[in-house]
Amino acid sequence: MNTQLSRDFKQHIAWTSDTPLGLVVESASGPFIHLADGKRLIDFISGIAVSSIGHRHPHVLAAVRAQLERHLHVMVYGELVQRPQVALARALTVQLPEVLDTVYFTMTGTEANEGALKLAKKYTGRTKLVAFERSYHGDTHGSLSVTGRSVYQDPFRPLLPNVEFLPFGDVAALSAINAEAACVITEPIQGEGGMRVPSRLWMQVLRDKCTENGTLLIFDEVQTGFGRTGRLFAFEQFGVVPDVLTLAKAMGGGMPLGAFVSSAKIMDTLRRNPPLSHVTTFGGHPVSCAAASGALAVLLNEGLPARAIELEEHIRARLQHNLIVEIRGMGAMMGMELSSSRAAEEVARYCLNHGLLLGWTLHSDRVVRLAPPLNVPLEVLDEALDIMLSALHQVVQP
Ligand code: PMP
């Protein structure tokens, strides 16, 4: 039935690897993706931490429909007063510490990080950037420059100069941060690096080092944000407030949207010398902003950040097997490290063949990634865990 479609996919869609999953999507709703061949997949990766409130949540659809009746794109970012942008910025900043009161909307996560890096350079007048090994911040040149994995950087050099990488989570290594650094950028919990959670002490020393040196602390919460780790934002778990917060993924409730958020004082830097030194045509698209306001209301009204902790507890209690070296992560952002990359691949393949879509991480091939929708019903969660446990039993021990 779909041979022509598959042929066109192969011929006209640029591939990102030699082995795309290539499944034909018919529709998606709640925790499920429905395929053209009639199969139903439990989505345990949520489009890589995007559909945290499930696919096509009715509140998001209603918000999108209402905005479609008013206007689509009208003008480049920042010139006209667009109600969906203002409403979302207000709803978002109410949830944030007082210093994070000014929002610059983008389309994607990498674009949010590009904006944050440019902001830090312009605000401090410095050029040095500090980042961490095994981090991931996106695939445009600036974000790639602070992504700590040379295998992804090498084909694209030269990248931005003057970037220093420190080992993630190592308190002593933070002494390298000095007054030359415009910013330090980090994920509060490394996602692509394999769901690595640093200590509270490390976070607090990091904050102090940045404050002492007038260096801006940027938290990339593109993946950890919007309830995934058990609080609305992961920084709340560590008792540390960043100078700049970057967001995307789950923010738009399934629509493309990102943002970098900072204080009015810092953000004012982008207004002048020269004006329009950082602009975007589509950043803060009104339909995406309307969707995001709907998604944020669902997260808050349904208490979904707290549900992430319940999911974690349930998953940790049930997911026990001698092939599992460790389950890392926080809330519903989890990585199951297996004893070999072959085991990880076999488990993921078995699950896919039995109706469960799991993920991988870019920097860690022994880690199977779990990022279920935060409102996944308990019986669907149990069905997914049953499939994972049978997958683990099937894998032949090396
Ligand atoms: N930062 C982090 C922590 C991410 O996980 C990602 C995407 N995996 C990005 C940035 C890039 O986001 P996008 O793909 O929307 O550009």
Side-chain angles (χ1 to χ4, degrees):
M1 171 176 71
N2 288 300
T3 32
Q4 184 61 44
L5 189 62
S6 296
R7 225 178 291 133
D8 285 348
F9 172 80
K10 284 185 182 149
Q11 203 173 341
H12 300 299
I13 297 291
W15 288 25
T16 53
S17 80
D18 281 334
T19 52
L21 289 175
L23 304 167
V24 181
V25 177
E26 203 55 51
S27 65
S29 67
F32 303 117
I33 297 176
H34 301 280
L35 302 179
D37 62 8
K39 280 197 190 126
R40 181 202 78 170
L41 291 180
I42 300 175
D43 185 359
F44 241 48
I45 185 63
S46 303
I48 320 284
V50 170
S51 31
S52 290
I53 58 169
H55 294 280
R56 292 173 60 250
H57 194 287
H59 272 71
V60 172
L61 295 189
V64 166
R65 285 193 189 107
Q67 184 54 36
L68 290 178
E69 297 303 321
R70 296 189 191 108
H71 63 89
L72 302 179
H73 175 83
V74 282
M75 183 55 174
V76 295
Y77 184 71
E79 294 296 329
L80 302 182
V81 179
Q82 300 184 43
R83 288 181 203 279
Q85 287 178 348
V86 180
L88 176 59
R90 193 184 161 82
L92 188 60
T93 52
V94 164
Q95 299 300 325
L96 290 169
E98 224 169 296
V99 289
L100 298 173
D101 64 354
T102 309
V103 185
Y104 193 119
F105 289 115
T106 64
M107 287 279 286
T108 62
T110 196
E111 202 195 333
N113 287 331
E114 294 287 342
L117 296 174
K118 281 178 74 181
L119 177 65
K121 286 169 82 174
K122 197 155 183 288
Y123 180 73
T124 60
R126 307 173 187 172
T127 58
K128 182 172 165 184
L129 310 173
V130 176
F132 293 95
E133 290 162 10
R134 299 171 74 85
S135 61
Y136 181 81
H137 297 294
D139 270 346
T140 52
H141 274 83
S143 301
L144 182 60
S145 301
V146 290
T147 287
R149 192 77 197 288
S150 57
V151 66
Y152 293 114
Q153 294 184 311
D154 288 344
F156 305 103
R157 292 189 192 283
L159 294 169
L160 285 181
N162 217 359
V163 179
E164 182 174 2
F165 286 98
L166 304 178
F168 183 74
D170 179 337
V171 174
L174 296 175
S175 58
I177 298 167
N178 59 28
E180 282 171 29
C183 64
V184 176
I185 182 167
T186 190
E187 301 149 85
I189 296 169
Q190 285 193 339
E192 303 305 327
M195 312 302 149
R196 296 163 80 214
V197 184
S199 69
R200 220 178 143 84
L201 174 71
W202 183 78
M203 276 294 191
Q204 290 174 351
V205 175
L206 173 62
R207 175 65 275 181
D208 290 348
K209 275 279 164 197
C210 288
T211 307
E212 271 165 38
N213 289 289
T215 297
L216 296 191
L217 178 57
I218 303 172
F219 277 173
D220 174 344
E221 293 230 31
V222 167
Q223 198 168 137
T224 52
F226 295 98
R228 180 127 309 266
T229 70
R231 300 291 289 267
L232 194 55
F233 299 103
F235 71 79
E236 299 169 49
Q237 307 273 16
F238 296 96
V240 161
V241 176
D243 300 298
V244 187
L245 176 69
T246 67
L247 304 168
K249 285 193 184 275
M251 185 180 191
M255 293 291 285
L257 187 65
F260 55 106
V261 186
S262 190
S263 65
K265 178 173 173 231
I266 296 172
M267 204 67 99
D268 268 4
T269 319
L270 295 180
R271 281 192 196 189
R272 51 188 83 91
N273 303 323
L276 305 181
S277 60
H278 191 73
V279 289
T280 162
T281 300
F282 282 131
H285 192 283
V287 179
S288 297
C289 285
S293 286
L296 182 59
V298 170
L299 271 172
L300 296 172
N301 295 341
E302 296 182 9
L304 294 183
R307 179 95 200 295
I309 306 280
E310 289 170 30
L311 296 181
E312 176 183 8
E313 284 167 1
H314 192 81
I315 291 172
R316 282 188 189 273
R318 281 209 57 201
L319 211 50
Q320 297 193 9
H321 192 275
N322 59 10
L323 273 181
I324 301 176
V325 176
E326 192 186 4
I327 295 183
R328 280 197 297 272
M330 203 184 248
M333 175 174 175
M334 302 176 85
M336 175 174 74
E337 181 173 344
L338 298 184
S339 50
S340 69
S341 54
R342 186 184 59 81
E345 198 187 318
E346 279 182 29
V347 165
R349 193 176 331 112
Y350 177 98
C351 288
L352 186 60
N353 290 337
H354 290 79
L356 174 65
L357 182 61
L358 296 169
W360 62 94
T361 64
L362 275 181
H363 304 335
S364 222
D365 60 6
R366 293 192 315 190
V367 175
V368 176
R369 174 181 199 156
L370 316 181
L374 306 182
N375 55 359
V376 61
L378 200 55
E379 61 277 14
V380 178
L381 177 63
D382 275 329
E383 189 184 333
L385 290 168
D386 289 342
I387 299 171
M388 286 175 73
L389 287 166
S390 355
L392 287 160
H393 292 314
Q394 296 289 321
V395 174
V396 184
Q397 298 271 13

